[in-house]
Amino acid sequence: MSQPRAKVVILGGGPGGYEAALVAAQLGAEVTVVERDGLGGACVLSDCVPSKTLIATSGLMAALDGSAGLGIRLNGPVPGGSSPGGPMPGGTGPGGPGPAKAGAAGTGRAVVDAPRLYARVRALADAQSADVTGRLAAEGIEVLAGTGRLTGPRMVAVGDREISADVVLIATGARPRILPAAVPDGDRVLTCRQLYDLGELPGELVVVGSGVTGAEFASAYQALGSQVTLVSSRDRVLPHEDADAAVVVEEVFRRRGMTVLGRSRATEVRRTAGGVTVLLADGRTVPGSHCLLTVGMVPGTSGIGLEQAGIALDGGGFVPVDRVSRTSVPGVYAAGDCTGVMMLASVAAMQGRIAMWHALGEAVQPIRLGHVAATIFTEPEIATVGITQQAVEAGQADALVVKLPLATNARAKMQGFRDGFIKLFARRGSGIVLGGVVVAPRASELILAVSLAVEQLLTVDQMAHTFAVYPSLSGSLTEAARKLMRPAEDV
Ligand SMILES: Cc1cc2nc3c(=O)[nH]c(=O)nc-3n(C[C@H](O)[C@H](O)[C@H](O)COP(=O)(O)OP(=O)(O)OC[C@H]3O[C@@H](n4cnc5c(N)ncnc54)[C@H](O)[C@@H]3O)c2cc1C
């Protein structure tokens, strides 16, 4: 006799929600996703996808900035010809050139067409959202547009409709934190979700907060042509990341002309006639044309009936979950940013999938957060996986560490960059790879080799015996592994 189909209702259509929906549908459940703003969630519509699309352009600008050293002259005369070279593709357009350091044709700099760039960002986000909509439709998943709330542990209301479910997944994400004395107005004082509505590049952008989001946007806008001031309350930028990596990125920021204010806590942001003034705790003021606030995220868990349904929240309003995404109430799961567990799209998606595998009776492996690969999309990028140097220094892991600068790598020289390194951690004795840090252009792509080693418990010997292409940056990964190999007599 066949079992009745389980009814699954999912609040939120971001990666936590829509990936869960796909798994649940694959397992034969009847699935409804309730989404307020659009499928793909904030990840696709306002956060991850738009920011990385913007960074695709800023990365190219950064590369062009260093192109003279590679023998490229921008807007220079055509060799042997009489006609002057035109502007760089996309360099000028109907919106006119960008501000600040974006130079005019003939000055040797590419310029950014901000309206075109922002239009591309929005179009790409919409297209990605449409792709997600198509995938869910193809699997027969019902999508309800609107704000959902719990009216009981397994009862969800959307407008006038009430749906009873066997399984509920909360995947309502998070939103930027707002400071009482720095309220965004969407014009000059902005959250990261409001940048793409600007008609131009900020001339002088003050970024408050030097965590991942602050560092990524500071890096991007500096490359796009804004004059950026980064206000950091800590000693250095990216205070929670590998210290060696953060130092490299901060050096690059300064060299490219960014002003980095360390140990500077912003207390207030005021509008002025020409822009904004950011007030610091020590009395200094920082003027700018625009201010971007990146001071953390708050969970989207209030006012949707969670407490009334008996679901425990922590002090910050996040939904505590175990490693298979269960909340404190049986049958109710949670995934993604609303849980406060590593705020990454990949983690949200995995939490969502695991929730459905568990709820619908599939074999499931609890999430392994120690194996999550992550990247900070600054220029250069910082990619990490596995244990950290901090953990090694604190004695939490008995590991050997090797750090190889990329400045001596032949491919890096050919590509004209010298800022970056490869760091590898291996267990003392067994040589099993425990983690790594890559600081390089496209480190996000290079880290997979280390991720594979960590996931599959490979040893540095196995990594060292793996062929890498010559010349390549990944050759430095195998070289780092070679440096960690034990001499034969120690085996
Ligand atoms: C600027 C920025 C850049 C980022 N870049 C990256 C990156 O490069 N890589 C990466 O891995 N992560 C990145 N992240 C993090 C990533 O975006 C989040 O981890 C991811 O979006 C979390 O997915 P989610 O499903 O939990 O929530 P979301 O993507 O936030 O989706 C939640 C959805 O729920 C909806 N919702 C909320 N409440 C309700 C309700 N009551 N009823 C109906 N719908 C509701 C919302 O409208 C939203 O669409 C970035 C974040 C930011 C801010």
Side-chain angles (χ1 to χ4, degrees), residues 3-10 20-32 136 139-142 165-167 356-357 359-361:
Q3 297 263 5
R5 289 176 83 193
K7 175 70 194 172
V8 174
V9 177
I10 297 173
L22 290 169
V23 166
Q26 187 187 38
L27 295 176
E30 184 190 345
V31 187
T32 299
L136 265 58
E139 299 301 327
I141 295 165
E142 181 186 36
D166 301 302
V167 177
M356 293 303 113
W357 285 323
L360 299 172

Side-chain angles (χ1 to χ4, degrees), residues 129-151:
S129 175
D131 283 350
V132 175
T133 305
R135 278 174 69 196
L136 265 58
E139 299 301 327
I141 295 165
E142 181 186 36
V143 178
L144 295 181
T147 300
R149 63 184 197 289
L150 265 62
T151 50

Side-chain angles (χ1 to χ4, degrees), residues 337-361:
D337 284 2
C338 68
T339 68
V341 173
M342 293 178 101
M343 290 195 177
L344 289 171
S346 53
V347 173
M350 188 58 82
Q351 285 181 298
R353 290 185 206 111
I354 286 175
M356 293 303 113
W357 285 323
H358 187 270
L360 299 172

Side-chain angles (χ1 to χ4, degrees), residues 184-192 194-195 198 290-293:
D185 59 13
D187 178 31
R188 297 288 176 154
V189 185
L190 307 158
T191 70
C192 59
Q194 296 171 323
L195 286 165
L198 296 179
H290 297 75
C291 175
L292 171 63
L293 297 161

Side-chain angles (χ1 to χ4, degrees), residues 36-37 52 83 161 205 215 233 268 309 378 380 418 443 489:
R36 194 179 53 197
D37 296 336
K52 265 62 287 171
S83 64
R161 186 168 158 195
L205 179 64
S233 61
E268 191 180 337
T378 44
R418 58 192 167 87
E489 60 268 25

Side-chain angles (χ1 to χ4, degrees), residues 11-17 34-38 40-44 46-48 51-52 146-149 171-174 192-193 213 216-217 297 300 304 335-338 343-346 348 377:
L11 274 191
V34 186
E35 170 53 54
R36 194 179 53 197
D37 296 336
C43 174
V44 166
S46 58
D47 295 350
C48 180
S51 65
K52 265 62 287 171
T147 300
R149 63 184 197 289
T172 47
C192 59
R193 293 182 176 171
T213 303
E216 285 187 355
F217 280 114
M297 304 288 282
I304 54 171
D337 284 2
C338 68
M343 290 195 177
L344 289 171
S346 53
F377 290 83

